[in-house]
Each structure stands twice: as C-alpha cells, then as structure tokens.
C-alpha cells in the first residue's frame, strides 16, 4: 500500500501548505491528523465484526446509484480527499501563523463579540456604530473590551463610547459621528502577553535585531499597544512596542501599524566598533579622570521615524557615552549617571539650592568644562557665549553664534560637570 502513502504525501503538500506562513510544526500536526484518519479508515475495512463495519459505514456519505464495485474502487481517493479537506479545514480555522484565529462568527458578524455592560443606553448606538466599535477594537487593539459607558454629546454631534477602565491597563475611548456612525476620534491602549502578539510581528523579530547587529535570540517579555485617531484622520494608527531580553541583554522594537519604526538592542561583541569604543573611553577619562573603565553594555538604537541611529556605551561606575547620527547631524553625549541625593528640610531650601545652581559663576564653570571639551572635541571654548535658562537651573549652553555650534552642559552646585552634549539638542 505504499502508493497510497505516496498519494497522501503528494496531496498534503498541496493546497494550504504551498505558501510559507505555515511552519513545519503546523504541517506535522496536520499530517498526524490525516494519518489518524487513514488508520481509522483502514481499521473500518479490516477483519472487524459486522456491527463494527456497519457502524463505520454509517458515517460514510451516500453516493447515489453507483455500483458497489465502483464505490470500492473510488474509496481511497474519495476518503483521502475528504480527510484532507477536513484536516486542512481544522488547521485553517484553529491555527493561523502559529496562533488561534478568531471565531468565524466574529469575522462575519463582529458585533456578535461586542461586550456591553448592564444599564447602558444602547439605543444611542446604531448597528453601524456597533460594527465600527467592534471591528476597531478587534483589528487595531486585538481584543474586545467591555463597553462601560455610552453618552450622547449633542453639542459636538457625537456619540461617546468608553470601554474598560481608565485606571487599568486596558482602556478605550471612541467618538462616533451621531449622524453617520463613522469613527471620529480614538484613544485605546492595551498591555498584552507576548503569546498574544500577532505572528506577523513576531516573525520579524530575529531579522530586525540582526539588522542592527544585536543578538537575534532575545526573547519577548512584554507588549504594549497604543491606538489613536485624531480629528481629521481617516484611519486609526497603532503603535506596538515589544520588549525583549535574555540573561545578558535587552531589546525593544516599535511598530507603527505593521512597519517597524524603531529597533533597539544590545550589540553582539563582534559588532562593537573598537574605534568608537576607544574614543568613548577617552571621553570618559576626560570627564572623570578614570582611565580604561570596563565596558558594561553596548547597544544600538535605530529610529526610522526620527531618522536617528544611536550607539550607547555604558561603563563601570555609571559613566556613559552616546553617539548619534541623524538628519540634524551628529550628536555626542558623555555623562556621569551617578545620583548624588540632596537632603532638603523644606521648599525654601530647595529654592535656595536652585538659585545657587543658577547663579554659579561663569568663570568657575568655564574652568571645569573647558579642559574636558578641549580633550574630547579638540575645541577651545573661549569664543563660545554662555546662555543660562531660568527654567533649567544646573544647565547652561555654550554657543558659537557664527556657526551655531552648541554645547549643552549639566553641572552640580560645586561646578563639577555631570554631562556634556554636542549637537542633537
């Protein structure tokens, strides 16, 4: 009977399995289901009792006036194709790219899955409104939230729908046109388990991490989704943020709709630029006086929305260097992330402290920062003009007005430098 097995193998490799979204694991499960059906059929034709044979035959479709001989001859192919259709049907409706698909009823009648709290004035919602709300939550938020409020807003000509609770992680606000039932504005959020994230996102993760030189084996740990639609926009826009990590690294990917717009991840050791690392160590030495500090972490972030590509180095004793290349040019930051807590008895002491920061002598600041900038950037700061900002005590900018070259400097009350940033302000 080997030819029958070969026939099954040929059939099962056709149809829904011809395209890539179906994984080998899914194919294997369907093959197992078909194999079980084959064995069941063979058993029904074997040396069973008359009752067993009669019971088996009772589940077979009638074929009209076709002779018994012809029916027997067609049996393997008919039963085979029937089992294939049944198995493929189960597969297509139970699994979709590795995940459970939504029930058929929700696909055809999305309002069937709409959840309404008791006591709502549902008469305000037309069938079109209900369908728009249900479809929007299903397709954009990925989940139906229970509607807790329906309100008529006669001044604006809208119907307001609220779902979930504002104090919870799952919440939705939807405004609809009271006349047409069309969507007008939307604000929705949801925190998902990684297993709930659609496969079209998950299957992108390894290649996206590799594209920035990060390890592709980082595992998803949490998902947040935000959906918004402002007045005048025609479609809701979703942002999905996936956090990833393993024992030694971290990463994050942000999608707008289905397109990845931001990718962050720890760099593999072989992807770390030794030239950039050497430069960063020299910058840390200029800022802190500490040489050859051990590298704790190196990561890269590529933001396609903002047009920025950033490399971040973190060193022992909480010093860091960040290098950015973007549309606005190059950016460079060197800083000390140590926190020196200040104890204040009351608001008067806090205000006095801020005043002290703001009024620090320019000569003191220049004496601290000029040697550092000269070592890192090979620039003499004498020609740069100092600007203070009352809203940001503890921070000044040095600007060369002829070229618009700017350094932003953060400092402590004794004049010690906390952070220097050039460009990308």
């Amino acid at each position: 009977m080997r030819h029958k097995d070969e026939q099954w193998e040929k059939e099962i490799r056709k149809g829904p399995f011809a395209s890539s979204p179906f994984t080998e694991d899914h194919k294997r499960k369907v093959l197992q289901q078909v194999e079980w059906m084959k064995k069941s059929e063979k058993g029904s034709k074997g040396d069973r009792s008359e009752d067993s044979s009669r019971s088996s035959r009772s589940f077979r479709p009638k074929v009209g006036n076709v002779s018994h001989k012809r029916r027997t001859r067609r049996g393997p192919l008919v039963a085979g194709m029937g089992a294939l259709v049944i198995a493929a049907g189960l597969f297509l409706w139970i699994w979709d790219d590795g995940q459970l698909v939504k029930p058929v009823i929700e696909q055809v009648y999305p309002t069937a899955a709409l959840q309404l709290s008791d006591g709502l004035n549902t008469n305000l919602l037309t069938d079109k409104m209900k369908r728009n709300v249900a479809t929007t939550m299903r397709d954009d938020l990925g989940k139906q939230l229970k509607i807790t409020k329906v309100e008529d807003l006669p001044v604006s000509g809208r119907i307001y729908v609220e779902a979930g609770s504002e104090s919870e992680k799952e919440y939705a606000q939807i405004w609809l046109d009271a006349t047409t039932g069309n969507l007008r504005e939307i604000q929705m959020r949801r925190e998902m388990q990684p297993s709930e994230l659609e496969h079209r996102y998950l299957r992108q993760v390894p290649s996206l991490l590799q594209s920035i030189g990060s390890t592709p084996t980082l595992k998803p740990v949490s998902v947040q989704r935000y959906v918004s639609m402002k007045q005048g926009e025609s479609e809701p826009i979703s942002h999905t943020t996936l956090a990833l990590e393993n024992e030694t690294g971290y990463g994050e990917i942000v999608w707008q709709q289905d397109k990845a717009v931001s990718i962050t991840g720890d760099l593999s050791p072989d992807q770390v630029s030794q030239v950039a690392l050497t430069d960063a160590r020299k910058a840390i030495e200029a800022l802190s006086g500490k040489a050859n500090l051990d590298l704790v972490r190196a990561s890269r972030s590529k933001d396609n929305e903002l047009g920025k590509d950033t490399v971040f180095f973190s060193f022992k004793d909480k010093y860091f260097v960040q290098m950015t290349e973007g549309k606005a040019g190059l950016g460079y930051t060197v800083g000390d992330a140590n926190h020196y807590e200040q104890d204040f008895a009351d608001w008067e002491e806090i205000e006095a402290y801020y005043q002290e920061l703001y009024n620090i002598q320019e000569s003191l600041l220049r004496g601290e920062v000029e040697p550092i900038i000269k070592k890192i950037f090979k620039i003499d700061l004498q020609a740069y003009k100092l600007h203070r900002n009352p809203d940001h005590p503890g921070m000044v900018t040095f600007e060369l007005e002829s070229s618009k070259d700017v350094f932003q400097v953060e400092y402590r009350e004794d004049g010690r430098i906390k952070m220097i940033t050039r460009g990308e302000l």
Side-chain angles (χ1 to χ4, degrees):
M1 303 298 290
R2 176 60 184 165
H3 69 283
K4 288 182 65 180
D5 292 335
E6 291 175 352
Q7 180 67 24
W8 275 107
E9 191 72 20
K10 290 178 182 177
E11 294 296 336
I12 205 64
R13 294 299 177 184
K14 297 178 183 178
F17 308 111
S19 58
S20 61
F22 299 94
T23 66
E24 291 301 322
D25 185 52
H26 303 154
K27 296 176 186 179
R28 177 180 58 77
K29 289 178 182 177
V30 177
L31 285 168
Q32 289 175 346
Q33 177 74 4
V34 173
E35 187 64 27
W36 178 83
M37 290 178 178
K38 288 167 55 183
K39 290 179 180 178
S40 177
E41 182 193 351
K42 287 180 181 180
S44 69
K45 291 188 177 183
D47 296 330
R48 297 185 180 181
S49 65
E50 183 177 351
D51 289 341
S52 176
S53 297
R54 191 174 298 145
S55 175
S56 176
R57 283 195 298 273
S58 68
F59 288 98
R60 297 176 189 170
K62 295 181 180 180
V63 291
N65 296 323
V66 181
S67 68
H68 174 71
K69 178 182 266 186
R70 180 162 180 81
R71 187 162 62 248
T72 303
R73 224 173 18 245
R74 293 183 60 195
L77 181 58
V78 171
M81 290 303 294
L84 175 62
V85 170
I86 292 170
L90 287 171
F91 177 90
L92 288 174
W93 286 113
I94 295 176
W95 295 93
D96 177 17
D97 274 4
Q99 295 189 350
L100 289 174
V101 300
K102 305 172 186 69
V104 181
I105 187 67
E106 188 177 342
Q107 293 293 318
V108 181
Y109 304 107
T111 55
L114 199 61
Q115 305 171 53
L116 300 168
S117 297
D118 295 334
L120 293 178
N121 187 3
T122 55
N123 292 332
L124 293 173
L125 297 175
T126 65
D127 289 341
K128 183 176 181 180
M129 290 177 183
K130 292 178 182 178
R131 185 169 63 252
N132 282 339
V133 170
T135 303
T136 300
M137 285 198 284
R138 181 194 69 191
D139 294 345
D140 297 293
L141 195 60
K143 182 181 181 180
Q144 299 287 358
L145 305 184
K146 180 177 284 189
I147 295 176
T148 54
K149 185 176 183 180
V150 177
E151 183 180 1
D152 185 11
L153 304 175
V155 175
S156 61
R158 298 183 180 190
I159 300 296
Y160 172 70
V161 175
E162 186 174 330
S165 173
E166 189 174 5
S167 61
E168 299 296 329
K169 296 175 181 177
E170 298 182 338
Y171 184 58
Q173 295 175 292
I174 301 175
W175 291 263
L176 305 111
D177 189 291
T179 303
T180 65
N182 293 332
L183 300 172
R184 285 292 174 257
E185 290 188 61
I186 295 171
Q187 292 292 331
M188 301 191 294
R189 66 173 184 262
R190 180 188 174 200
E191 187 169 304
M192 310 162 63
Q193 293 298 318
S195 59
E196 297 177 276
L197 185 61
E198 296 88 344
H199 189 63
R200 65 179 183 272
Y201 296 105
L202 289 174
R203 66 187 177 193
Q204 299 178 43
V205 171
S207 60
L208 289 174
L209 291 172
Q210 283 181 316
S211 72
I212 63 168
S214 186
T215 174
T217 56
L218 292 175
K219 302 299 182 184
V221 292
S222 66
V223 185
Q224 290 185 331
R225 176 164 293 167
Y226 297 92
V227 183
S228 66
M229 176 179 161
K230 298 178 182 178
Q231 176 68 31
E233 294 178 343
S234 59
E235 296 290 339
I237 303 297
S238 68
H239 280 84
T240 303
T241 302
L242 172 65
L244 308 113
E245 65 180 32
N246 59 18
E247 296 79 5
T248 59
Y250 173 83
E252 182 181 275
I253 301 174
V254 179
W255 288 269
Q256 179 176 303
Q257 301 296 79
D258 295 344
K259 182 180 179 182
V261 294
S262 176
I263 312 159
T264 300
D266 287 342
L267 290 173
S268 304
D270 60 340
Q271 295 294 320
V272 177
S273 167
Q274 294 305 307
V275 174
L277 180 57
T278 299
D279 183 75
R281 281 201 171 100
K282 289 180 179 178
I284 294 298
E285 183 177 3
L287 177 69
S288 67
K290 300 177 181 180
N292 299 318
L293 290 180
D294 293 336
L295 179 67
V296 175
R297 180 190 175 206
S299 65
R300 183 183 175 192
S301 180
K302 189 173 183 181
D303 193 316
N304 296 324
E305 273 191 306
L306 300 177
K308 289 185 178 182
D309 195 340
T310 301
V311 175
F312 182 88
F313 294 111
S314 177
F315 295 90
K316 183 181 177 182
D317 297 340
K318 296 185 179 180
Y319 292 97
F320 67 91
V321 171
Q322 179 175 291
M323 306 171 182
T324 301
E325 184 176 353
K327 295 178 180 178
L330 300 177
Y332 194 103
T333 298
V334 55
D336 176 359
N338 288 286
H339 296 284
Y340 300 92
E341 297 295 335
Q342 298 288 332
D343 293 325
F344 301 105
D346 50 38
W347 277 105
E348 290 184 359
E349 287 193 8
I350 295 175
E351 290 178 356
Y353 174 70
Y354 286 151
Q355 195 65 35
E356 182 183 2
L357 285 173
Y358 182 72
N359 292 331
I360 195 167
Q361 292 183 1
E362 180 174 342
S363 59
L364 176 59
L365 273 181
R366 285 186 177 274
E368 291 286 340
V369 75
E370 284 182 355
I372 300 173
I373 288 180
K374 185 171 288 187
K375 286 182 181 178
I376 299 175
F377 302 103
K378 307 297 187 292
I379 288 176
D380 189 339
L381 209 59
Q382 287 296 323
Y384 286 68
K385 185 176 180 180
L386 183 145
H387 300 278
R388 303 178 191 263
N389 187 340
D391 295 328
H392 296 281
M395 179 187 298
V396 296
T397 57
F398 291 90
E399 181 181 6
L400 185 63
E401 295 181 348
S402 61
S403 66
K404 300 300 181 183
D405 188 24
V406 176
F407 289 93
Q408 180 177 280
V409 178
E410 293 186 34
Y411 57 90
R412 309 187 195 282
E413 72 279 3
D414 58 2
R416 286 180 299 155
I417 306 305
K418 291 168 53 179
M419 188 167 72
I420 300 172
T421 298
R422 185 186 188 189
E424 286 291 331
L425 299 180

